[in-house]
Amino acid sequence: MAVDKPRKRWPWVVLATLVVAGWAAGGRGHSPDAADRSAAGSSARPSSSAPSTSAEPSASASDGLARYAPQVKRYAARAGIDPQVLMAILYNEDYKPHDPAFQRAWQKLKPDAAFGIANMHKATFDETRRGRDFAGRDWDELPDDTGLAIESAAWYLHDLAAQLPAHRSTSLTVNQLIALGYNTGAGNMLAFARGVTPGSQAQSYLDQLTSNWAAAGRDVRGSG
């Protein structure tokens, strides 16, 4: 799969200025537990939607995500998922700075904002951690602990995969479906598995996953 050219990063000072100014644009569809996303979608996006992928080309390994590949492989193996889909999701979610101070400043403006390198919301984290090795950890630790963020994302993908029916009426692969589940929620994922066509927001996330797929594969194959 082809990989887009690396996107330009917004300078930190610009983003910090936007936070201070109260800029309220949301991230791309990164909320695993967002309840306001319909499976079929429409051309009009909710207020939490983001620019199209044509406006934000995909990231590349040179942006630094490759350094997380060993953790991705380790936690993906424990969760029984494909490390490439987990790595590609990290690329998809890499549209804003993951600096802990920035994330906490942003959350003051948007209390429902996601935390961590994998952009996970509190309700999703609290549900995913039950019965796991990180059950005693807290969601607000995600900005400071990349390993915890990747581990919880891996297990959430595991839980999504476990919900998929054995017989599906779609050409989408398991990896594509769980990535869409990560983006739009389990209910929408199951609708896609039944053959419902992804709406514009979900399709945009899937297109971005496709663009990032080759780079994610290189990362996980190249790590020790």
Side-chain angles (χ1 to χ4, degrees), residues 41-46 49 200-201:
S42 66
S43 58
R45 295 184 179 182
S49 65
S200 59
Q201 183 170 321

Side-chain angles (χ1 to χ4, degrees), residues 2-7 53-54 56-60 207-208 211-212:
V3 181
D4 293 341
K5 294 180 180 178
R7 66 169 176 251
T53 52
S54 61
E56 280 194 336
S58 61
S60 72
D207 291 344
Q208 191 76 2
S211 295
N212 291 324

Side-chain angles (χ1 to χ4, degrees), residues 101-164:
F102 176 90
Q103 292 186 62
R104 291 191 168 91
W106 185 253
Q107 193 203 23
K108 290 180 180 179
L109 294 174
K110 290 177 65 69
D112 62 342
F115 265 177
I117 191 173
N119 290 330
M120 183 170 282
H121 285 250
K122 188 177 189 303
T124 301
F125 178 81
D126 288 345
E127 180 180 350
T128 303
R129 69 175 177 167
R130 294 174 186 167
R132 304 259 156 76
D133 291 343
F134 55 99
R137 305 292 299 275
D138 292 322
W139 171 76
D140 60 10
E141 297 178 61
L142 292 180
D144 306 292
D145 192 334
T146 300
L148 178 62
I150 295 173
E151 182 178 17
S152 55
W155 281 107
Y156 182 56
L157 291 171
H158 167 275
D159 293 346
L160 288 169
Q163 297 179 55
L164 286 173

